[in-house]
Amino acid sequence: MTALDIQYGFIFFLIASYILQLWLAQRHTKHILNHRAEVPEAFADKISLEAHQKAADYTIARNKFGTLELTFSSALLAIWTLGGGLQFLDEQLRAFNLSPVYTGVAVIISLSLISGLLDIPFSLYKAFVIEEKFGFNRLTLKMFISDMFKQTAIMLIIGIPFLAFILWLMDDASPYWWLYVWGSWFGFSMLMMWLYPTFIAPIFNKFTPLEEPELKNKISNLLQRCGFTSKGVFIMDGSKRSSHGNAYFTGFGSNKRIVFFDTLLNSLQHDEIEAVLAHELGHFKRNHIKKRIASMAAMSLAGLALLAWLIDQSFIYEGLGVTTPSFYMALILFMLVTPVLSIFFNPVFSLLSRKHEFEADEFAAQNTDANNLITALVKLYEENSNTLTPDPLYSSFYDSHPPAPVRIAHLANVRS
Ligand SMILES: [Zn+2]
């Protein structure tokens, strides 16, 4: 293979992944428009036509904007690689004559800062135009700016030392560097997962322990019934940024937390909250979290083994617009180019995720009343303006959760 083969191959996959995503987005919009006039039969007595049409318009607006973002990011990727952007950035930073490890840190940090800056107009538009128009936005410009600074500060404080360590391992001549990098990366991810709920999340939101006696009682009964221990149930002030509601699990080991958005608590009955929590417990009890961590570990090991082979093939760098090969450029190119190829495996990951959602729903149906989860889901679909009529192909490609009608039919099935 030559540099030219790599270049043509990359152009082919970049265009193919772009066209595929564009085509799916267009199908999605068309399908939603075709079903906009009427609420699907199964929901006719639960959701108003007005709410159904709002969900359609909201989904289409986001979908259209997503296409614009996709176009921009694909063009940007071409500029960084084939357009010589990375090579140019590297040359500028090499001029400072730092050691290869520090030059690598400087290139990667500059690249993420530049990408972050270019992303600001998109984030602004999403929050202050789209979310605002549909009444979901609660962010102020001041909060937007302060969030951005906090995120950047955290990235720099945690990212720089870790990155320097990884590049130092890569720079080492050991043939097993990729195994060391994998071990460090895995340990770091676990540490971050463990630290996140107690140290990082509170920088952005306030978490207050759930106090309401009746609900608290209901929840601790459920936890006991399912044999689950955690560091407690917390309410997060999600309403300060958005009126979208959610519930999630965070941390692991002894540092597990259950988090409810305040917006969710305000819109659901106690029985429904219990059912939503039972679903989240289902993910834990069916070992979905362990499975996810294991597959993440396996994929990153395979990725690093591949990188270890690619790192010595100078024609690959050249084919991707980098004329001065280095270990940090190999890492950057790998991170930038992999998504263009991995997008084709998306349906497989989405399928596995949806399988887990069904299992968690089954767990909830076994441990609480499935009817409560159904009414909770209908309320959440309505309040979050999730469309009830996604394009089936689009949905099977991207959706981590089954579409509303399928999910509710499944719940109604396990209930009886
Ligand atoms: Zn779930």
Side-chain angles (χ1 to χ4, degrees):
M1 263 205 279
T2 64
L4 212 56
D5 294 334
I6 296 293
Q7 191 179 339
Y8 288 151
F10 176 61
I11 293 172
F12 172 79
F13 279 106
L14 186 61
I15 293 175
S17 77
Y18 176 71
I19 291 177
L20 172 69
Q21 291 176 80
L22 211 63
W23 177 65
L24 287 168
Q26 266 164 5
R27 279 183 62 108
H28 193 40
T29 295
K30 213 169 128 190
H31 195 271
I32 293 170
L33 277 177
N34 285 343
H35 293 82
R36 191 180 178 277
E38 226 176 311
V39 182
E41 215 181 282
F43 294 89
D45 54 344
K46 299 184 186 92
I47 285 178
S48 69
L49 182 64
E50 194 194 352
H52 173 66
Q53 298 191 329
K54 180 186 170 191
D57 298 342
Y58 176 58
T59 312
I60 291 171
R62 283 195 313 166
N63 197 28
K64 277 193 178 149
F65 190 64
T67 318
L68 185 71
E69 271 186 303
L70 171 70
T71 307
F72 180 76
S73 65
S74 306
L76 191 63
L77 178 57
I79 293 170
W80 278 126
T81 52
L82 306 177
L86 283 174
Q87 177 67 31
F88 176 77
L89 185 64
D90 190 28
E91 279 165 16
Q92 305 310 305
L93 293 165
R94 272 174 195 266
F96 290 97
N97 277 321
L98 301 168
S99 74
V101 168
Y102 287 117
T103 310
V105 171
V107 173
I108 294 175
I109 295 292
S110 313
L111 180 65
S112 16
L113 289 177
I114 295 170
S115 311
L117 274 175
L118 293 174
D119 193 50
I120 292 175
F122 293 97
S123 309
L124 280 172
Y125 189 87
K126 260 187 273 185
F128 297 104
V129 179
I130 299 182
E131 295 291 304
E132 186 76 39
K133 183 177 164 198
F134 290 91
F136 293 121
N137 182 46
R138 301 264 177 87
L139 263 179
T140 60
L141 193 61
K142 198 179 145 199
M143 238 161 27
F144 181 89
I145 294 169
S146 107
D147 279 357
M148 205 171 62
F149 277 106
K150 283 181 194 168
Q151 280 157 359
T152 312
I154 293 171
M155 176 192 88
L156 296 176
I157 293 167
I158 301 178
I160 290 179
F162 179 66
L163 193 58
F165 180 64
I166 290 293
L167 292 179
W168 175 74
L169 287 173
M170 287 183 80
D171 190 30
D172 191 49
S174 158
Y176 300 113
W177 66 263
W178 54 283
L179 278 177
Y180 303 142
V181 168
W182 177 71
S184 319
W185 173 83
F186 189 69
F188 176 77
S189 314
M190 291 296 103
L191 181 71
M192 292 313 292
M193 266 172 82
W194 192 78
L195 288 178
Y196 182 80
T198 10
F199 293 98
I200 298 178
I203 298 173
F204 297 95
N205 282 96
K206 215 157 69 199
F207 293 84
T208 37
L210 177 71
E211 297 290 3
E212 231 250 296
E214 195 201 328
L215 181 60
K216 206 177 161 183
N217 210 5
K218 218 177 192 55
I219 288 178
S220 56
N221 278 339
L222 173 71
L223 293 181
Q224 222 163 30
R225 247 183 5 249
C226 304
F228 184 85
T229 46
S230 84
K231 278 265 164 78
V233 180
F234 290 82
I235 304 169
M236 188 185 108
D237 59 345
S239 61
K240 81 175 190 188
R241 290 193 181 80
S242 156
S243 60
H244 286 303
N246 205 351
Y248 68 91
F249 244 111
T250 156
F252 72 110
S254 59
N255 211 17
K256 288 192 295 289
R257 275 182 175 201
I258 295 152
V259 176
F260 282 114
F261 281 34
D262 52 357
T263 35
L264 184 99
L265 289 194
N266 292 335
S267 54
L268 299 185
Q269 307 283 330
H270 286 179
D271 286 338
E272 293 169 338
I273 294 170
E274 187 194 21
V276 169
L277 177 58
H279 168 95
E280 295 301 323
L281 285 177
H283 281 307
F284 188 79
K285 281 287 168 183
R286 295 282 180 261
N287 291 323
H288 296 163
I289 306 182
K290 280 182 197 154
K291 283 179 191 166
R292 215 171 301 158
I293 292 173
S295 65
M296 191 176 79
M299 280 189 295
S300 55
L301 184 63
L304 278 163
L306 181 64
L307 179 61
W309 178 77
L310 294 174
I311 205 163
D312 296 321
Q313 321 295 323
S314 61
F315 67 96
I316 294 180
Y317 298 83
E318 209 186 309
L320 295 171
V322 171
T323 44
T324 332
S326 60
F327 57 96
Y328 56 83
M329 274 302 178
L331 184 65
I332 296 172
L333 286 174
F334 191 72
M335 305 297 266
L336 289 181
V337 172
T338 316
V340 173
L341 305 171
S342 65
I343 180 88
F344 296 97
F345 297 98
N346 227 33
V348 182
F349 297 120
S350 300
L351 185 71
L352 287 174
S353 170
R354 290 196 300 268
K355 183 173 164 270
H356 286 173
E357 292 307 324
F358 283 134
E359 287 176 14
D361 279 349
E362 279 162 27
F363 182 88
Q366 285 154 12
N367 289 282
T368 56
D369 185 347
N371 287 317
N372 292 329
L373 188 53
I374 293 177
T375 56
L377 285 174
V378 171
K379 276 188 194 173
L380 291 177
Y381 284 121
E382 180 169 5
E383 288 184 8
N384 289 325
S385 278
N386 284 331
T387 179
L388 301 172
T389 57
D391 173 55
L393 205 61
Y394 176 95
S395 174
S396 67
F397 202 91
Y398 291 110
D399 284 351
S400 61
H401 288 64
V406 181
R407 191 168 173 195
I408 285 173
H410 175 257
L411 267 171
N413 236 346
V414 288
R415 175 189 56 193
S416 52

